[in-house]
Amino acid sequence: MSIWEACHALEKGSRAWSISDHFHGADCLMRHAMNIATEFENWACVHVCFESSTEVWPYFLHENFGSVLLEIVTVGGLMDFDTHDCLRVALRLGCHIYYSDALPLPLCLEVLNPSLGERFEKVRIEVVHLSLDGRSYSPITADHIIASPRPLLPIYGIYGVDSNGLLEHMADRSTYVQARSLVLRLFPSLGFAEELTPFQGNLESMATSTRK
């Protein structure tokens, strides 16, 4: 119903756009709305941490899902809605999302190095992605994910941080578990968490969310 209402509101507010032009009638729109709702609900049951939310899920979706969906996916793109779009919408909705190897979520963790005399004061694990030109790496942020129509390939970079805050790249891994395992072999005294707390998107500002 949220998608249905958002599309009708869009049609009402625009003389140049109509549901019939894009969906060949209201029945077609409802079929796509049902498909999207089913896809998102199944995705959310696996990836969203409902225990961390204070919202009543059905009411929250009814009030917000349709309008947020149309902010992120063009009306013409609703027919191609997929699991990456589920992540984009969930981040924009501010959902708490479990970290998993299947999702490119922002992450920036730093742990103090208690060993005196070491060259690094801290060690960082940060999720980055390769730029389009293939020449540089940038941290993955919620804004990047929401704006990207294609999934980003997450790389878990390991960095040493010196007393001046300068980073030295040490290694890359494809998952957090692998990155943590390597860090603990190199620095056994560091206390990187075995499990990550769910990442929270931001409904109000779409601001980048990182944790240290």
Side-chain angles (χ1 to χ4, degrees):
M1 288 305 300
S2 186
I3 301 169
W4 174 269
E5 292 167 2
C7 287
H8 277 80
L10 180 63
E11 181 183 50
K12 185 177 181 181
S14 173
R15 295 181 179 179
W17 184 87
S18 72
I19 290 173
S20 295
D21 291 341
H22 280 79
F23 297 101
H24 307 293
D27 289 345
C28 182
L29 167 61
M30 180 52 77
R31 284 196 295 272
H32 287 297
M34 290 294 293
N35 289 337
I36 291 170
T38 301
E39 177 94 16
F40 184 78
E41 188 69 12
N42 290 338
W43 182 92
C45 286
V46 175
H47 297 290
V48 172
C49 179
F50 297 103
E51 294 81 0
S52 298
S53 175
T54 58
E55 303 287 351
V56 179
W57 185 247
Y59 297 140
F60 176 70
L61 290 186
H62 192 177
E63 292 173 2
N64 298 285
F65 186 85
S67 58
V68 167
L69 174 68
L70 294 186
E71 288 179 15
I72 293 173
V73 181
T74 64
V75 174
L78 293 180
M79 301 178 188
D80 300 317
F81 187 86
D82 59 18
T83 55
H84 177 60
D85 295 320
C86 289
L87 174 60
R88 297 166 71 197
V89 171
L91 286 173
R92 182 67 178 87
L93 286 170
C95 297
H96 293 74
I97 305 171
Y98 291 114
Y99 279 94
S100 76
D101 296 345
L103 299 181
L105 289 175
L107 177 70
C108 183
L109 296 176
E110 283 186 353
V111 173
L112 290 171
N113 184 3
S115 301
L116 297 177
E118 292 283 355
R119 61 185 297 186
F120 300 127
E121 285 193 349
K122 303 174 184 177
V123 175
R124 173 186 295 187
I125 297 177
E126 185 168 24
V127 175
V128 298
H129 67 102
L130 188 62
S131 63
L132 292 177
D133 60 16
R135 298 179 180 178
S136 61
Y137 292 91
S138 300
I140 285 182
T141 69
D143 286 352
H144 286 147
I145 299 167
I146 292 170
S148 176
R150 297 179 180 178
L152 300 175
L153 178 62
I155 301 168
Y156 289 76
I158 302 170
Y159 304 88
V161 186
D162 67 17
S163 58
N164 296 315
L166 298 177
L167 301 180
E168 181 175 323
H169 177 255
M170 292 190 286
D172 293 322
R173 291 295 183 267
S174 58
T175 68
Y176 174 74
V177 171
Q178 293 172 355
R180 178 179 180 271
S181 176
L182 176 58
V183 168
L184 293 182
R185 289 202 300 271
L186 297 174
F187 305 93
S189 59
L190 296 190
F192 277 96
E194 184 173 353
E195 294 185 1
L196 298 170
T197 57
F199 178 86
Q200 183 181 13
N202 194 315
L203 176 61
E204 297 300 328
S205 66
M206 293 174 60
T208 301
S209 176
T210 57
R211 294 192 303 275
K212 295 185 178 180

